[in-house]
Amino acid sequence: MKRTPDVAPIVTALDRPNSYIGRSVPRPNLARLTQGRAQYVSDITLPRMAHVAFVRSPHAHARISKIETTAAKQAAGVIAVVTGAELAKVMTPWVGVLTHLKGIKSAPQHPIAVERACWQGEAVCAVVARTRALAEDACELVEVSYEELTPVTDAETALDPTTQVIHPELEDNLTFERKHEAGAPDQGFAQADAIIETTFRFGRHTGVTNEARSIVADWNPGEQRLTVYQGTQAPHMMQNLFAKHLGLEEHQVRVLTKDVGGSFGIKVHTYADEMATVALAKLLRRPIKFVADRLESFVTDIHARDHRVKAKIGVTRDGTITAFEIDDLTGIGPYSVYPRTSGIEANQVVNLVGGPYTCPNYRARARVVFQNKNVMCQYRAVGHPIATSVTEGLVELAAAQIGLDPLELRRRNLIPDDAYPATGASGIKFEALSHHACLAHIDSMMNYAGLRAEQARLRGQGVHRGIGFAAFIEVTNPSAAFYGIGGARISAQDGATVRLDATGALFCATGVTEQGQGTEAVIAQCVATAFGVPLERVRVLTGDTDNVPYGGGTWASRAAGIGGEAAWQAGKALRANVLAAAASILQADPKKLDISNGVIVDADNGRERIGLDEVARVVYFRPDTLPPGFQAEMVATRHYVPRGYPFAFTNGIQASYLEVDTDTGFIKLLKHWCVEDCGTVINPQLVDEQIRGGIVQGIGAALFEHCVYDERGQLLNGTMADYLVPMAPEMPDIEVGHVVTPTADSELGAKGAGEAGTAGASGGIMNAVNDALRPLGATPITEIPMTPDVVLRALNKI
Amino acid sequence: MTDRVRVALTVNGERVDAEVEPRQNLVDFLREELQLTGSHIGCEHGVCGACTVRVDGTIVRGCLMLAVQCDGDRVETIEGLSDSGDVADLQAAFCERNALQCGFCTPGMLLTAQELLLQSGAAPSREQIREHLSGNYCRCTGYQAIVDAVEAVALARQGQTP
């Protein structure tokens, strides 16, 4: 079995006795998950619980003229049949806009469509019954009369004056537009010896979480409280939204998130059917459960990445990049998704294009338009795969054009490792990155020269292999700059509460959540190290708005960097409190004591003085023996939010090695490498597995995944048999390396690692395919997924 | 609605007598009637492998078999195999190698891997492991850690070290 070697921490503040920082310790929740003893929301059953199923619009755009519910109401097991108009009396609609995305607009969205359905799959009526099967039976009996309207499906023509405006009150189909210009792009292009101009196309794809979206909502009229069990990444955000739209106070709502069967950004949004489930619980005064089935998931889970980017790069003969220019167009469905908006991905594309490079000349435009397809919103590595594929695609096309090795062209243009702090052409601020160190590391790790030799040798035998790279930057540890300043009540800060229990064990409640990435392990590592106990003495609680500090949850690669720092600080604060109590018991100077491996010791020589269990015993059961006036405080809470930089950017580079069958168009991935820099590595194994999983998600986008719509707005491949996802046989082994540049914004120095893999994978693979096909005179491929027919078209074979 | 049908089967060694709707599939029966929620539902049409259980010693898709078809059969789920220690070494290797993140695919993945390891004489290659797991969808790991864990157990059962 290959094990990731432990990385020694490099920050002295972390160098505590028995430090767990930098160690691949196992996650505490794994055994439960391997034994089938987890508790996913789909597993939950409550007394008097009923199930809801939804009648969904078969049309992309239609007026609802009549809903006949009499037969459904009389069907076996049916408790209620509720239309959008009826539910609108219980829950108010929402509009997905933020003030810092200047000019963004959207229309009010209801939990169930009222009068008009705007995409195929939008719920138009709810049926609540004793079982899900009975609810589905009765859905068949609901008769909805539709008057079909012209659907707007093509983003390219959505803004044409002749195209129907989906929401007439908004006057046009433009959701959001951003323009940016920096340096002197025209002058840059004038100085270029070669200009490459092309159009990149990215297929719409979706998250396909293994466990579909699930929610159980329980309104207790006796307590006037709503308890919601939800597979979500942001429990406090959802608490706020449920309360706001039901007209409740936040303290009347408790959101519980236990095990979650995969998220990846899919479960950080407001979904109409989940809001409807909560509203139905209040209306019917009993627990209601909704678990999306897979067909519903494909037409209602957010989609992402449907972008068309016209892009241009200028380069001199000696390999200096002189300018970048992009024009991005993306269609996001009929509503901007609440509350994070659907403008963020395009905004990120503008922010990130050209990001790794020194070139100051940059012009960008991004337009986000409405259309009658399922909604799009933020999904793992928001905007990054698009920006990286465009930037790195242009860079390798430019290298080929001027006859320079693609790594060498990067060496000549990447921001030097000693040039920080630096500002990118889009205005983004970098504290400290390590592009050149990462490039050197991947060059040797993959034996680049050896692979080039092998590629040339096999080329002579008619075997067409390609090597492609993608340097990338990743947004992590977001401050309030991401959502808070735009008016969204999404916490940028996070908190941790650490308590010494009566036997000397620690309990930590954290605002960040566990989606399987290893949050519980990382939080326990931070607390155990900061306080000074063995790891198994720390128990971590996540996902309970009644019992954890207010926090943002898990998104934008923030759980370890922000939640981890809060836990670290809370552990330190409790250590000081416990040492004060121990000093009081021992009549010693607290400054001369420390806690090591669960025992109070002399700080200078490590001599054991008193056990934590004994401190706890005295504090809790014999406080009468403590000096008068001394009050022990065995709970400490600390919060953390990055203040130095709006985001902790990370960086890295990926490489793909693959073989193209030029007769069938099939692509075989042989190997993939990634070197990344997420600052202090708290748990090397967990970081590597985030990178690997993220890369495979990017591979899915590069080769397989595509939500295919027809011109009527019908999704043509909305099943797992038709929508291809990465499976084990086609995936390569992935080698991961690290460069460590801690952020000085926190004591831990950890940045995020959850999205780096996805950010670079598709761009690297696209470049490798083009590298394989270039000597064959193929047209460069600038679209994903690169299905066999795309490859064969590039080769002019079909 | 069609009348319920009486079935008698053994689930994880316990005799179960039940009346089931003819349309109810096996995994819904296990989850809803017996509260054995360790077997999961991912796609409901036999593609993702999350509902994999054992019937009379052979793994099946719990979403493609009806509960009425299991009359007289011996059904084993992850809960039973955990208690009996049947897959204990695989479970330990999955934990050691972090071969699961969200864990939703893991029960199905363990049963499928165990089938391969019980079948083969020599330890299977990484390619054979990947091929055998080809019907089990994992969105989190990228599969490499799973292949590592299964390979390690395959070698250990042959008395070799990875």
Side-chain angles (χ1 to χ4, degrees):
Chain A
M1 189 184 311
K2 294 189 187 90
R3 285 299 303 271
T4 309
D6 287 349
V7 176
I10 66 163
V11 181
T12 51
L14 311 183
D15 196 16
R16 299 262 308 142
N18 305 308
S19 174
Y20 291 100
I21 306 301
R23 287 176 57 187
S24 293
V25 300
R27 291 160 51 199
N29 47 353
L30 282 187
R32 180 164 55 81
L33 299 178
T34 66
Q35 293 172 13
R37 290 183 163 101
Q39 193 179 45
Y40 301 97
V41 174
S42 48
D43 299 336
I44 290 172
T45 303
L46 298 177
R48 288 187 74 241
M49 188 176 83
H51 298 256
V52 60
F54 294 96
V55 178
R56 295 183 180 277
S57 171
H59 306 294
H61 199 190
R63 191 165 306 289
I64 303 162
S65 40
K66 192 175 177 217
I67 301 178
E68 177 52 59
T69 60
T70 312
K73 281 177 174 160
Q74 291 165 359
V78 169
I79 293 159
V81 180
V82 182
T83 64
E86 289 164 337
L87 208 59
K89 294 172 191 153
V90 183
M91 178 173 266
T92 57
W94 52 87
V95 182
V97 295
L98 290 169
T99 56
H100 68 314
L101 298 178
K102 200 164 173 288
I104 192 168
K105 58 185 195 263
S106 189
Q109 186 180 3
H110 291 272
I112 296 177
V114 178
E115 293 180 357
R116 193 166 59 116
C118 286
W119 82 91
Q120 175 222 3
E122 183 172 10
V124 298
C125 186
V127 176
V128 179
R130 201 164 44 73
T131 69
R132 170 69 184 232
L134 292 170
E136 288 185 20
D137 289 346
C139 281
E140 301 285 323
L141 302 174
V142 176
E143 284 177 44
V144 186
S145 305
Y146 295 99
E147 180 192 324
E148 275 193 74
L149 301 169
T150 310
V152 178
T153 53
D154 186 359
E156 298 270 5
T157 56
L159 299 177
D160 289 357
T162 52
T163 300
Q164 177 170 356
V165 175
I166 296 176
H167 304 294
E169 70 274 26
L170 301 181
E171 295 180 351
D172 58 32
N173 287 326
L174 184 68
T175 318
F176 173 62
E177 179 169 21
R178 180 180 167 196
K179 289 178 179 166
H180 179 80
E181 187 159 323
D186 291 329
Q187 204 178 326
F189 285 116
Q191 288 163 356
D193 295 312
I195 293 174
I196 292 95
E197 195 167 359
T198 189
T199 300
F200 292 87
R201 293 180 193 281
F202 299 85
R204 201 177 237 265
H205 53 263
T206 186
V208 200
T209 56
N210 213 320
E211 183 195 31
R213 291 185 293 104
S214 309
I215 188 167
V216 177
D218 183 10
W219 170 251
N220 184 329
E223 286 187 319
Q224 291 288 300
R225 276 208 101 197
L226 178 73
T227 303
V228 183
Y229 304 80
Q230 189 185 23
T232 177
Q233 297 168 234
H236 281 107
M237 180 189 92
M238 292 314 303
Q239 177 194 37
N240 167 255
L241 297 176
F242 293 143
K244 180 175 173 184
H245 293 284
L246 283 172
L248 300 173
E249 296 294 328
E250 268 186 41
H251 64 80
Q252 289 179 278
V253 179
R254 179 184 187 185
V255 177
L256 281 159
T257 301
K258 298 206 171 176
D259 295 307
V260 184
S263 295
F264 318 112
I266 295 296
K267 296 175 182 171
V268 76
H269 308 294
T270 303
Y271 287 94
D273 48 22
E274 294 178 36
M275 294 295 271
T277 305
V278 171
L280 287 165
K282 182 143 188 295
L283 180 72
L284 301 173
R285 300 166 161 251
R286 62 192 295 170
I288 309 287
K289 182 173 190 171
F290 171 66
V291 179
D293 69 24
R294 188 57 62 186
L295 303 179
E296 290 180 297
S297 298
F298 274 107
V299 292
T300 58
D301 286 8
I302 57 111
H303 294 176
R305 317 269 208 257
D306 189 356
H307 288 243
R308 179 236 64 195
V309 186
K310 293 180 180 169
K312 196 160 114 173
I313 187 172
V315 64
T316 61
R317 256 185 300 278
D318 70 356
T320 302
I321 299 170
T322 58
F324 284 105
E325 182 171 339
I326 61 157
D327 181 7
D328 180 20
L329 176 71
T330 178
I332 49 103
Y335 297 102
S336 170
V337 175
Y338 187 62
R340 291 167 193 254
T341 84
S342 302
I344 295 283
E345 179 149 278
N347 198 51
Q348 290 281 58
V349 172
V350 173
N351 282 341
L352 299 172
V353 162
Y357 299 103
T358 53
C359 175
N361 306 318
Y362 178 41
R363 178 182 294 130
R365 176 172 74 153
R367 285 171 302 158
V368 179
V369 300
F370 293 115
Q371 55 185 177
N372 294 110
K373 295 179 182 174
N374 184 18
V375 292
M376 292 218 313
C377 200
Q378 283 79 286
Y379 170 52
R380 193 177 199 174
V382 187
H384 292 68
I386 294 150
T388 305
S389 295
V390 167
T391 305
E392 297 300 277
L394 290 173
V395 162
E396 295 219 352
L397 290 172
Q401 180 85 12
I402 61 169
L404 194 64
D405 179 89
L407 273 193
E408 183 54 32
L409 179 60
R410 289 185 175 86
R411 268 189 210 99
R412 294 182 191 181
N413 290 279
L414 287 166
I415 301 172
D417 290 357
D418 60 3
Y420 296 96
T423 301
S426 70
I428 52 179
K429 300 201 177 341
F430 304 121
E431 179 193 7
L433 303 180
S434 57
H435 287 296
H436 290 267
C438 288
L439 187 147
H441 192 348
I442 207 165
D443 187 348
S444 67
M445 187 164 91
M446 68 192 286
N447 182 16
Y448 180 48
L451 280 187
R452 281 287 181 213
E454 180 176 87
Q455 180 190 32
R457 181 171 55 77
L458 291 170
R459 188 79 78 182
Q461 300 167 17
V463 175
H464 302 289
R465 290 191 172 180
I467 301 165
F469 295 94
F472 63 87
I473 51 175
E474 186 205 343
V475 174
T476 80
N477 292 7
S479 70
F482 220 146
Y483 295 112
I485 59 164
R489 294 176 73 89
I490 301 170
S491 173
Q493 64 82 52
D494 234 291
T497 294
V498 184
R499 181 179 79 216
L500 184 79
D501 281 343
T503 57
L506 295 187
F507 169 86
C508 177
T510 172
V512 292
T513 56
E514 173 70 274
Q515 323 289 135
Q517 76 277 44
T519 298
E520 288 182 25
V522 163
I523 296 296
Q525 285 176 268
C526 293
V527 171
T529 305
F531 184 86
V533 287
L535 195 63
E536 57 273 16
R537 300 288 279 170
V538 183
R539 201 168 75 75
V540 177
L541 175 79
T542 66
D544 179 352
T545 56
D546 266 8
N547 287 300
V548 303
Y550 203 89
T554 294
W555 42 273
S557 298
R558 69 186 293 285
I562 294 178
E565 178 71 12
W568 172 263
Q569 296 296 345
K572 280 175 60 177
L574 184 65
R575 184 179 73 202
N577 290 0
V578 169
L579 287 177
S584 173
I585 294 166
L586 296 168
Q587 299 190 340
D589 179 357
K591 292 192 191 68
K592 293 183 175 169
L593 297 174
D594 196 2
I595 309 174
S596 176
N597 210 23
V599 180
I600 310 291
V601 298
D602 285 334
D604 54 355
N605 58 20
R607 185 169 68 95
E608 293 193 1
R609 298 294 304 272
I610 183 174
L612 280 175
D613 54 344
E614 181 59 12
V615 176
R617 186 190 67 80
V618 172
V619 162
Y620 287 123
F621 307 119
R622 292 303 307 275
D624 56 307
T625 64
L626 293 169
F630 180 84
Q631 176 60 52
E633 292 295 345
M634 296 294 102
V635 179
T637 299
R638 289 293 181 273
H639 296 85
Y640 171 71
V641 66
R643 297 296 293 272
Y645 284 82
F647 308 97
F649 273 95
T650 70
N651 68 283
I653 185 166
Q654 295 188 26
S656 166
Y657 188 45
L658 51 77
E659 189 172 307
V660 182
D661 184 326
T662 55
D663 292 324
T664 63
F666 276 92
I667 294 163
K668 183 175 171 52
L669 303 175
L670 301 170
K671 190 84 194 252
H672 202 100
W673 297 264
C674 177
V675 175
E676 66 80 53
D677 183 347
C678 64
T680 303
V681 175
I682 298 171
N683 186 318
Q685 185 183 50
L686 294 181
V687 170
D688 287 1
E689 292 310 314
Q690 280 302 299
I691 300 294
R692 289 198 176 96
I695 286 171
V696 167
Q697 226 156 358
I699 290 172
L703 300 183
F704 310 120
E705 298 186 40
H706 195 187
C707 297
V708 182
Y709 275 89
D710 71 8
E711 70 282 358
R712 303 290 305 157
Q714 295 287 317
L715 181 65
L716 301 178
N717 62 336
T719 79
M720 280 194 73
D722 300 301
Y723 179 98
L724 301 183
V725 289
M727 301 300 275
E730 292 80 26
M731 292 304 108
D733 277 349
I734 297 162
E735 216 174 305
V736 184
H738 303 278
V739 172
V740 176
T741 310
T743 172
D745 231 354
S746 70
E747 207 167 288
L748 268 179
K751 311 177 201 174
E755 298 166 284
T758 310
S762 55
I765 292 168
M766 184 193 285
N767 284 339
V769 171
N770 285 328
D771 184 59
L773 301 185
R774 190 166 290 117
L776 303 173
T779 314
I781 295 175
T782 52
E783 68 175 285
I784 60 170
M786 293 176 283
T787 52
D789 65 300
V790 170
V791 173
L792 293 176
R793 269 191 278 118
L795 287 164
N796 272 319
K797 291 195 172 183
I798 56 171
Chain B
M1 202 190 319
T2 320
D3 288 342
R4 288 172 172 258
V5 176
R6 288 192 66 83
V7 292
L9 59 158
T10 307
V11 179
N12 296 328
E14 292 174 22
R15 183 182 159 117
V16 173
D17 294 283
E19 286 190 357
V20 299
E21 280 189 46
R23 68 175 175 178
Q24 187 171 46
N25 65 37
L26 176 58
V27 68
D28 280 343
F29 173 71
L30 293 169
R31 289 176 54 82
E32 292 170 18
E33 311 299 328
L34 305 185
Q35 284 75 52
L36 289 167
T37 53
S39 307
H40 299 141
I41 296 171
C43 71
E44 294 183 277
H45 56 198
V47 183
C48 79
C51 61
T52 304
V53 295
R54 237 190 235 167
V55 177
D56 286 343
T58 304
I59 59 167
V60 301
R61 294 279 197 258
C63 72
L64 294 185
M65 190 164 186
L66 297 169
V68 290
Q69 292 176 284
C70 298
D71 188 32
D73 288 348
R74 185 165 47 87
V75 176
E76 292 165 283
T77 70
I78 188 64
E79 291 92 339
L81 296 182
S82 299
D83 288 347
S84 70
D86 189 290
V87 289
D89 53 354
L90 272 170
Q91 287 168 323
F94 270 56
C95 293
E96 164 87 358
R97 185 56 189 80
N98 196 48
L100 61 149
Q101 288 178 28
C102 81
F104 201 78
C105 72
T106 310
M109 203 65 86
L110 288 166
L111 265 70
T112 308
Q114 176 71 338
E115 183 191 58
L116 173 70
L117 299 186
L118 292 176
Q119 277 173 5
S120 41
S125 66
R126 290 178 74 81
E127 288 66 36
Q128 286 169 322
I129 294 168
R130 284 185 180 276
E131 198 55 48
H132 194 82
L133 299 176
S134 67
N136 288 73
Y137 172 56
C138 169
R139 188 53 138 179
C140 299
T141 64
Y143 301 103
Q144 186 171 332
I146 296 172
V147 176
D148 288 349
V150 176
E151 183 186 34
V153 173
L155 292 170
R157 288 193 193 175
Q158 304 278 332
Q160 303 167 38
T161 47

